[in-house]
Structure formats: structure tokens, C-alpha cells
Amino acid sequence: MPVTSQLLRGLPRAKAFASNLLPCQHHQSHLGFLPALRGPSQTWQIHPAGRSYQTSSALHNYILTPPQVNSILKANEYSFKVPEFDGKNVSSVMGFESNQLPANAPIEDRRSAATCLQTRGMLLGVFDGHAGCACAQALSERLFYYIAVSLLPHDTLCELEASVEAGRALSPILQWHKHPNDYFTREAQSLYFNSLRTYWQELIDLTSPGDVPDTREALLNAFKRLDNDISLEAQVGDASAFLHYWVLRVAFSGATACVAHIDGPDLYIANAGDARAVLGVQEEDGSFSAHTLSNDHNAQNDSEVARIRSEHPHSERKTVIRQDRLLGLLMPFRAFGDVKFKWSIDLQKRVLESGPDQLHENEHTKFIPPNYHTPPYLTAEPEITYHRLRPKDRFLVIGSDGLWETLHRQEVIRIVGEYLTGVHQRQPLKVGGYKVTLGQMQGLLEERKARMSSAFEDQNSATHLMRHAVGNNEFGTVDHERLSKMLSLPEELARMYRDDITIIVTQFNPHVIGAQRQDDES
């Protein structure tokens, strides 16, 4: 068995190239000055527009049946329960549930979940792609390996390298928890392995026997190194025409990343972009409150705006961020790939001139961002947040920005908390500032009562949350007609009303966390 296959064994079988990669090549650009209509939450565009969730004539009248709605919502759901040993769960994580709902065709979001086999940690991540799905796809299959290798002690890294040198079987690094739709690019595995091996060889040179890796540094280094490798691979190219085209597609598209590493009571969030991680905390009265563990890297973050302006000359102060976008184009201020915002103009031209002809048909490679004077303007360096888990920390929600654009974080936590506990906190009935007659109020109360009996028809908390994200009306309740209309929109319209949505809900074990905290304190 080849060394690459030994290291990566246990991965789901990759689908054939024709079925898993070609659709992305036809993805329409996210540039606002091109004719394609990509909707108000495009990542690359010049003129941002306000998102509208009002039902309009564009939403046609075809009503899906409840089974049809459920079929669409459940198509990509996945769940994993951490196994118990001798009837006991020794992990702080009980399990997780995830789901995805596409708006783009194909979906540009990706998700990953894996257990680090050489350590005790679990990794969970959401990757939100833009200008195509290629970069998000690469992150979904590569970033966790870089993190896992960064967390390995010196001696284990030496054992890995010795096994490769001797042609011996390698111990797997990760146990993946994958939905069948979460494929791997089979043709690129050898290239990916070689880049990963170069990284661990450098780690061997930089560390000493007995060194204990620092989780914060490991996450930081893994993000930066993978982004560097994505850039380097695109510059070097490949003898294979397919791989040459693929590495360029990965580099010229982009993706944000929000990753959680959970090891016992230690929770780290590494975030680059505008996906978000929010903790669900159960208070003494049984209610749930939201504790945000990541910051959005966009124009709404004053410290991010100040950081970017400080990295460029004062003469660019008015142009580096325009209309709440980086150089007037890019919404997230941190992302992988997106070499159009990182490479010099000369390097971009050289790489494109030597690249395959297909790349010149890709709209987003043809332009140079306006006011492009002092690159790089973009970084994949993550912001790291540490949180020591407490028994009252019940679950973690990681979601792409498509979720947070539709629901406030407190509402997200309330919906998931009520779903997981089966206990509804009777909120005051919302009427959204509308004048409501007594008859209408009675109807709303009857609707809420009926909803109580059917609220837990979903078997997956991420699906339940997604149902609310897409189907909530102005009264804060799921409206089946609205949900049906939103899910039956044709591909060319769906992206105008919502974004891709990816959700991972991780449930914690309060008894294990409490015991672990006591052990650490004693």
C-alpha cells in the first residue's frame, strides 16, 4: 500500500472526478460588476445590497408537502455519538449533529469533523467558500491534518518520518466523521501528502525531544502554513494538467474557516472570517444564554478595520476598505486562498500566463482589484479564543454566516437549548410591532400550542435549527408556507434570498466536564 494511502486510510471513498469536481467549474462569479445575479450576501461585489426576507412575487406559489420539506432539510444531516466504554462516556463531548442547506449550485460551504487519534482532541469546522467551492473543499480535507500534525510531540513526528522513509505502514492520524456527500479529492491526495510531510519535517527540525506542543500555537501555525502551501502549490504548478488547474482554482477562490478543538475541558476556537462559534450556557433557572466565542472579521468589527488600515500607508486609508468591503470587493477580512488579494500584480500575471487555458475562462481571475498598491491585503491568520468548559456549558453551535444572517445568536441558542432539553421557555408572544386583533392573537396562541406538540419531529438539532432559520416568520415562529416557498425556489433565485447554511451542534457532557475540572484542581 502506498505511503499516502496508509496515512490517509479510513477516508471515505472519493467520488469520481466527473461527479465531484466539475460542477464547481461552472460556478458564476461573485463580482458585482458581472451580469450574474448572486444576491445581496455575495462575498465579492462592488455594490452591497440589503438582504430581504420578505415574501414577494418572486416566491412562486408552489407549496411543498411536509414530507417534501423534510426530505430537503434532512438530505445532508449527519450525527455522531461518542462511544461509551464500560457504560461510561469518558469524553467531554457526547456527540455532534450537523447539516447543510445549499443556496448556491453547487453549495460553496464545507464542513469537517474528526477525532485526533494520536491525542484526545476532537476537531470540528465550518468552511464558507466564495468565488467557487474549490478552496473550501481543500480546507475541509487538509486543515485538520495540519492541526493534528502541529499537535504531535517531537518523538511521534520522528516516528512518522521514519515510517515513510522505511516504507512501513503509518498509524492513522485522524478518524473522520463524514457524511457520504463530504467527499475527498482523490487525485490530489499525493500532492497534499507531500506538502504535509514537508511541514512535519520542518516541525521536527524546530522542536526537541520532550517538547509539549501548545494548542494555541498549533492552531495558529496550521492555518498559516496551509494557506502558504495553497499559495506555493499554485505558483509551482503540476505536471498533471488536472492538478495544475485544480491548485489554481483553490488559490484563486477563497474560504473562511471556523474550527473548534475540544480536549477534555479545554475548548479552543480558531476563526478566520465571518463564520461564528457560539456556546449555549444553561442558567440556574433552566433558560439558555449565548456566549460568543469568535469575532466576525468584517467591517462591523472596529478592531479589524483598524488592523487593516494600520498595515497599509495612510494614502490608502480611504480605499483599503470601501463600502464595508476589502478594496470594495471582499466581505470577510480574513480568508484562505483569494490570492488576488495577496499576490503582487506581477506574480498574478506570471502564474496566469503559465496556467491552463481553462483558467482564463474563469471570470474572477481576469481582474485586478482597484487601488491595489501594497499587497497582501488579506490574511488567513486565525483569531484564537480559549474557553475552559464548565458543567453549565451544554452545547456549541458553529455556523456559516448564512445562519447568523437569519437568526440572532440568542435565538439560535434558545432554539437548540429547548430542542435538546425538551423544555420550552415560554417567551412572551412576539407580534413584531404589528397591530394584532384579539382573533389574530388567539390564532397565534393556537399555532404555538400546536407547534409544541410537533416541535421535536426533527431527529437532528442542526436540522431543527435550519428549519427555523429558513422558515421563521415575523412572529418568530416557523411558517410552513414560507418554509415551503423558500425551499422550492429555483437555483437562479435561491441565492437572492438566502446564503448557503452549514451548522454543527456539539453537545457536551456536564458530568464528565465537572469530574475533569475537579481532577485538574486536585
Side-chain angles (χ1 to χ4, degrees):
M1 181 182 293
V3 168
T4 306
S5 300
Q6 294 166 1
L7 177 69
L8 305 180
R9 67 185 175 183
L11 304 184
R13 245 179 111 184
K15 293 183 180 178
F17 163 64
S19 64
N20 73 3
L21 291 180
L22 285 179
C24 294
Q25 297 177 13
H26 306 297
H27 174 78
Q28 298 294 321
S29 173
H30 278 228
L31 297 174
F33 50 79
L34 293 173
L37 281 176
R38 302 308 297 164
S41 120
Q42 312 172 15
T43 302
W44 290 9
Q45 69 175 19
I46 288 188
H47 301 295
R51 177 177 289 276
S52 170
Y53 290 98
Q54 299 299 318
T55 303
S56 74
S57 59
L59 301 181
H60 52 77
N61 294 323
Y62 177 66
I63 303 298
L64 300 172
T65 66
Q68 288 173 322
V69 166
N70 288 339
S71 178
I72 294 171
L73 289 177
K74 296 172 184 291
N76 295 308
E77 68 179 11
Y78 179 84
S79 62
F80 174 77
K81 188 176 186 301
V82 173
E84 295 183 350
F85 300 94
D86 297 326
K88 293 183 179 180
N89 186 328
V90 295
S91 171
S92 58
V93 176
M94 294 180 66
F96 71 88
E97 296 170 329
S98 69
N99 204 345
Q100 291 188 294
L101 183 67
N104 291 293
I107 187 171
E108 293 182 334
D109 282 5
R110 294 293 187 271
R111 59 182 166 179
S112 288
T115 301
C116 298
L117 295 175
Q118 307 283 344
T119 62
R120 297 181 304 164
M122 179 174 282
L123 288 163
L124 305 113
V126 167
F127 312 102
D128 187 349
H130 48 263
C133 62
C135 189
Q137 175 60 38
L139 296 189
S140 71
E141 50 189 298
R142 301 184 71 180
L143 182 56
F144 285 7
Y145 278 117
Y146 279 68
I147 295 172
V149 164
S150 301
L151 289 167
L152 293 178
H154 177 88
D155 292 346
T156 306
L157 291 171
C158 292
E159 291 171 9
L160 269 180
E161 180 60 22
S163 295
V164 175
E165 285 287 337
R168 295 194 303 267
L170 299 178
S171 299
I173 295 177
L174 296 172
Q175 176 192 355
W176 290 95
H177 311 300
K178 287 282 186 180
H179 187 281
N181 292 345
D182 300 336
Y183 48 77
F184 281 74
T185 11
R186 181 177 51 197
E187 294 82 0
Q189 292 305 305
S190 180
L191 170 69
Y192 291 172
F193 175 81
N194 290 335
S195 294
L196 182 67
R197 183 186 178 190
T198 301
Y199 178 44
W200 83 50
Q201 288 172 336
E202 294 181 17
L203 287 174
I204 290 172
D205 293 337
L206 293 170
T207 58
S208 304
D211 286 353
V212 178
D214 177 78
T215 304
R216 183 183 296 270
E217 286 297 314
L219 291 165
L220 187 70
N221 293 336
F223 271 59
K224 293 166 66 175
R225 178 54 180 250
L226 177 54
D227 192 52
N228 183 72
D229 282 355
I230 287 171
S231 176
L232 186 61
E233 289 160 1
Q235 294 174 50
V236 172
D238 196 276
S240 160
F242 162 70
L243 280 181
H244 193 178
Y245 181 43
W246 175 246
V247 296
L248 288 169
R249 284 182 57 207
V250 170
F252 278 90
S253 60
T256 65
C258 187
V259 172
H261 179 267
I262 308 164
D263 187 353
D266 298 320
L267 168 60
Y268 285 88
I269 300 294
N271 183 53
D274 51 11
R276 192 180 297 173
V278 180
L279 196 64
V281 181
Q282 189 166 28
E283 306 296 346
E284 291 184 3
D285 64 358
S287 65
F288 286 88
S289 61
H291 178 49
T292 306
L293 293 175
S294 63
N295 295 309
D296 296 348
H297 300 131
N298 55 28
Q300 281 64 57
N301 184 333
D302 292 340
S303 63
E304 275 294 284
V305 172
R307 177 187 66 80
I308 289 175
R309 285 181 172 156
S310 71
E311 293 173 354
H312 299 277
H314 186 75
S315 59
E316 295 185 59
R317 182 173 180 82
K318 293 183 178 180
T319 59
V320 68
I321 298 173
R322 297 183 61 205
Q323 298 173 324
D324 287 345
R325 294 169 184 264
L326 190 65
L327 297 178
L329 294 172
L330 191 64
M331 287 184 68
F333 289 173
R334 303 192 194 196
F336 284 84
D338 281 325
V339 294
K340 298 293 289 187
F341 299 86
K342 296 174 181 176
W343 289 355
S344 69
I345 294 175
D346 287 344
L347 178 58
Q348 291 185 43
K349 290 180 177 178
R350 285 203 309 271
V351 170
L352 288 173
E353 286 172 0
S354 63
D357 292 340
Q358 303 101 300
L359 199 68
H360 300 289
E361 301 168 8
N362 201 322
E363 299 96 331
H364 61 264
T365 64
K366 294 179 180 179
F367 79 102
I368 299 296
N371 303 298
Y372 197 79
H373 306 298
T374 54
Y377 289 89
L378 188 66
T379 180
E381 180 174 330
E383 186 174 7
I384 312 292
T385 305
Y386 172 75
H387 178 80
R388 185 171 172 78
L389 289 171
R390 307 157 296 181
K392 66 178 182 177
D393 299 327
R394 302 306 297 270
F395 57 89
L396 174 72
V397 179
I398 308 175
S400 58
D401 64 341
L403 169 66
W404 311 106
E405 288 170 351
T406 60
L407 291 173
H408 187 274
R409 61 182 180 274
Q410 182 58 49
E411 187 73 355
V412 166
I413 294 307
R414 182 190 65 79
I415 291 167
V416 175
E418 291 181 354
Y419 172 86
L420 292 177
T421 61
V423 177
H424 279 261
Q425 302 297 319
R426 289 300 187 96
Q427 305 292 324
L429 189 64
K430 297 178 182 177
V431 294
Y434 294 87
K435 292 183 178 179
V436 180
T437 66
L438 287 175
Q440 289 171 324
M441 180 67 76
Q442 182 180 1
L444 287 170
L445 289 169
E446 289 176 352
E447 180 186 342
R448 180 158 85 170
K449 182 178 179 181
R451 193 172 70 253
M452 291 283 288
S453 62
S454 60
F456 301 135
E457 62 187 33
D458 294 315
Q459 301 301 308
N460 181 300
S461 56
T463 305
H464 185 70
L465 180 55
M466 194 170 286
R467 187 183 300 273
H468 280 264
V470 179
N472 261 21
N473 59 20
E474 62 268 26
F475 302 111
T477 62
V478 175
D479 182 320
H480 174 74
E481 182 176 350
R482 174 181 175 76
L483 183 60
S484 171
K485 288 179 177 179
M486 291 295 288
L487 294 179
S488 61
L489 285 170
E491 289 177 355
E492 63 272 16
L493 283 180
R495 188 61 182 81
M496 299 178 66
Y497 285 84
R498 59 179 176 83
D499 198 356
D500 296 330
I501 299 176
T502 299
I503 300 167
I504 301 177
V505 179
T506 305
Q507 192 171 359
F508 299 120
N509 191 328
H511 305 295
V512 172
I513 291 171
Q516 289 172 336
R517 287 174 65 93
Q518 288 180 353
D519 290 343
D520 291 346
E521 291 168 0
S522 62

